[in-house]
Amino acid sequence: MIERLRDQGILDEEVLAAIAAVPRHVFVEEALASRAYEDTALPLGFSQTISQPYVVARMIEALRTGRSDLGKTLEIGAGCGYQAAVLAQLTDAVYAVERIEPLLAKAKVNLRTIRQLKVRLKHADGHFGLPEAAPFDTIIVAAAATRVPTALLQQLAANGRLILPLGTARQQLVLIERRAEGFVETRLDAVRFVPLLSGVE
Ligand code: SAH
């Protein structure tokens, strides 16, 4: 899988090492475990999917470009915890929120299984960020929003970066950096994510 990611243009060796260090089969349903190392999104239950490794790598690489450390990081849409586990390889402070309680419970079990205890998980609607732990140097959103949630911009530290898929049928990754002069936006790849929904269940 790592060679394939390299062929697809992922150049950040630390990101590749972080992905190599996380056993993805732990995070997918048993019936799909044989496909865990294919570079595809796979179903998680509750109409959600575990993210495609290439997209995880691409987003984290974009967040790290020109910075040595992700710093305090917030993930919106933890799902089964896969991306949170990858992030935890790269930075010490990882917070992750998920709106579907049974998925959050799965994430807890999965992260415990791989002995990754530093991810702090919370059952909440990520539209509001995580005010009690803000500000964040990095915010990564794993579900597509139609517009950038204001709370996430507010909870970004100085020089902090936010990456999220924006759009409905056609989505694009957008990287937003908080600079002294304001928010600077860069548009990246076309992507396909499940939608960012409101409320918790
Ligand atoms: N990060 C996961 C991807 C999960 S898919 C991985 O590593 O595989 C996206 C997740 O976002 C789903 O679990 C979905 O329930 C969650 N989600 C959608 N809207 C949300 C919201 N408003 N707040 C928190 N989580 C949300």
Side-chain angles (χ1 to χ4, degrees):
M1 185 162 90
I2 300 303
E3 272 319 305
R4 220 164 29 222
L5 294 178
R6 215 177 253 128
D7 290 346
Q8 285 174 282
I10 304 299
L11 300 173
D12 187 331
E13 288 297 328
E14 285 189 52
V15 172
L16 292 168
I19 288 184
V22 176
R24 194 168 182 251
H25 66 268
V26 170
F27 296 84
V28 305
E29 301 291 331
E30 223 162 308
L32 295 168
S34 65
R35 301 185 55 198
Y37 298 96
E38 290 175 18
D39 189 25
T40 49
L42 292 170
L44 268 185
F46 308 93
S47 318
Q48 304 304 322
T49 52
I50 177 169
S51 293
Q52 183 191 351
Y54 171 74
V55 178
V56 171
R58 182 76 186 96
M59 289 174 91
I60 300 176
E61 183 172 70
L63 288 164
R64 277 171 48 90
T65 303
R67 296 199 295 183
S68 56
D69 192 359
L70 292 172
K72 197 204 285 182
T73 299
L74 172 65
E75 181 192 27
I76 306 296
C80 60
Y82 174 68
Q83 180 169 261
V86 176
L87 290 166
Q89 295 290 324
L90 293 161
T91 185
D92 276 339
V94 181
Y95 296 79
V97 305
E98 171 55 53
R99 64 179 288 278
I100 301 179
E101 175 114 70
L103 275 182
L104 192 78
K106 266 194 196 178
K108 268 185 196 153
V109 170
N110 292 340
L111 290 166
R112 210 172 294 146
T113 303
I114 64 158
R115 300 202 165 72
Q116 182 50 264
L117 304 174
K118 67 184 175 197
V119 177
R120 276 160 276 196
L121 294 165
K122 173 133 196 231
H123 182 221
D125 179 348
H127 280 102
F128 306 105
L130 192 60
E132 62 265 40
F136 298 97
D137 303 299
T138 299
I139 302 178
I140 182 164
V141 185
T146 47
R147 47 199 194 99
V148 186
T150 317
L152 300 187
L153 293 174
Q154 286 166 347
Q155 291 174 27
L156 214 48
N159 301 313
R161 287 185 187 170
L162 159 68
I163 195 164
L164 80 171
L166 264 190
T168 44
R170 293 158 65 92
Q171 304 165 5
Q172 196 174 19
L173 281 182
V174 178
L175 179 70
I176 298 172
E177 193 169 321
R178 181 171 212 160
R179 302 221 188 112
E181 66 269 27
F183 293 102
V184 179
E185 198 177 294
T186 313
R187 297 208 156 237
L188 306 168
D189 317 37
V191 283
R192 246 198 117 71
F193 278 81
V194 296
L196 190 71
L197 301 176
S198 291
V200 293
E201 55 184 87

